[in-house]
Amino acid sequence: MTIRFTRREALATGAAMLAAPAFAMDDAAPKTIEVQMLNTNPDDPKQKQVFYPRIIQANIGDTVVFKSVDKGHNAASSRGMVPEGAEAFKGKINGDVEYVVTAAGFYGIECTPHKTTGMVALVVVEGEGKLTNLEEAQGARHPGKARKVWEDIWAEAEEMGLLEETAMEKTES
C-alpha cells in the first residue's frame, strides 16, 4: 500500500515533527514555585505560622519564591539541611526570597522568628544524588514544636514517595 501526501500535507507534517521537540523541552525548562509565608494555614485554621505549601517538589534550576504574604516572617535554610554544593540562605523579615536550587536533595526551610512554633518547610529537589543528604537532614535537631512538625513532614514526604530514588537513579542501579 502506498501513501501519498500533497505538498501541503508533507510540509505540515514536517513542521509538526520539528515543533515536537520544542514542546518537550518546555517541560524541562526551569520553573518558578511560590511558597507563601502565612499566619494561618488556609486549609486548616488551627495551624498557625506556616509555609504554604510546607512540602515543595522542585528540579535543579527551579526558583523557589518565598512570598511574604503576612508580616513578621522570613525564609532561611535550616542548619544541617542543605545538600552539599548548595548555598545556605537567610532572607529578611517581611521580605520575599528567591532561591534557585542548584543541587538535588533535601532542603530544610525555617522562619527564623517562628521556627520554635513549627514554621518549617521541606524542599525536595529531584535529580541524581537526591538521597545523599537524606540521613543528615532527617537527623537535624529542631527546637520546640518544630521537632513534631518535622516528624509530620517526613511522614508525609514518605507517603508521597519523595524519600525514594529518582527514576533516573533507579535505572542506573
Side-chain angles (χ1 to χ4, degrees):
M1 175 178 181
T2 304
I3 299 175
R4 296 185 186 251
F5 290 101
T6 66
R7 183 171 179 213
R8 181 173 289 167
E9 290 170 328
L11 288 171
T13 301
M17 290 174 65
L18 288 173
F23 288 115
M25 288 170 50
D26 281 348
D27 287 342
K31 294 178 178 58
T32 300
I33 303 161
E34 185 175 303
V35 179
Q36 297 178 354
M37 297 183 278
L38 302 170
N39 291 335
T40 304
N41 184 330
D43 297 333
D44 183 358
K46 292 179 184 176
Q47 292 182 2
K48 305 294 184 191
Q49 316 300 348
V50 296
F51 287 100
Y52 185 79
R54 69 180 187 179
I55 298 177
I56 300 94
Q57 292 178 260
N59 292 305
I60 294 171
D62 288 350
T63 300
V64 181
V65 179
F66 297 93
K67 298 290 291 177
S68 181
V69 177
D70 294 333
K71 293 193 181 294
H73 305 294
N74 78 329
S77 50
S78 299
R79 185 180 307 198
M81 298 184 75
V82 177
E84 189 173 325
E87 288 189 38
F89 69 93
K90 183 177 181 181
K92 295 183 182 199
I93 302 292
N94 300 326
D96 293 352
V97 176
E98 289 189 14
Y99 184 76
V100 177
V101 291
T102 58
F106 300 89
Y107 295 71
I109 309 299
E110 61 189 35
C111 172
T112 306
H114 299 113
K115 65 183 168 189
T116 59
T117 64
M119 188 168 176
V120 296
L122 177 65
V123 178
V124 180
V125 180
E126 297 294 338
E128 188 174 342
K130 171 180 135 179
L131 299 179
T132 304
N133 78 318
L134 176 60
E135 189 174 316
E136 180 183 12
Q138 287 182 316
R141 303 186 84 178
H142 304 285
K145 188 178 174 187
R147 190 172 319 130
K148 172 67 172 119
V149 174
W150 274 112
E151 288 175 13
D152 294 345
I153 287 174
W154 288 119
E156 190 176 333
E158 185 170 22
E159 286 176 20
M160 295 169 68
L162 299 177
L163 307 185
E164 301 171 4
E165 294 178 31
T166 62
M168 181 187 302
E169 290 174 317
K170 286 181 182 177
T171 58
E172 291 175 358
S173 300

